Amino acid sequence: MRVYKPEWQCTFSVSEGFEGKTGWRERLAWFIRSLADKLDGSGRTIKIDYEVTPTVSRDDVDTCLGKGFAVTQSLLTQLAHQAACENVMREAKAELFEEDSQP
């Protein structure tokens, strides 16, 4: 009886700039990305590198990235809500936070 063993591999990395020794093309690309960030005035440019074996469709990759960004938005919204609540508490009940301001 033959035993089948599925094999797969996935690498995923996100970068916000060039690292180490890179070629002039990559340095130029990052310069243009940083220039675009400055022109936009907000946001953040990232580069996503991935390699999946066996190959999956670009639509599947896009779906996964979209879901990941949706989770990120949800987490950032929760953090913003928590920070807003803390700000209200610091204003309404400053005496509870006096210890934080002392070294």
Side-chain angles (χ1 to χ4, degrees), residues 29-84:
W30 278 111
F31 173 76
I32 293 169
R33 289 180 184 114
S34 68
L35 184 61
D37 285 346
K38 289 177 187 173
L39 290 173
D40 286 345
S42 66
R44 199 168 177 172
T45 298
I46 59 173
K47 182 177 181 234
I48 299 171
D49 289 313
Y50 64 90
E51 186 175 336
V52 181
T53 306
T55 305
V56 296
S57 73
R58 185 175 180 111
D59 287 342
D60 287 342
V61 171
D62 292 347
T63 299
C64 290
L65 291 173
K67 289 180 180 181
F69 288 124
V71 170
T72 300
Q73 183 196 1
S74 174
L75 292 172
L76 289 173
T77 300
Q78 288 176 23
L79 286 173
H81 180 233
Q82 290 170 0

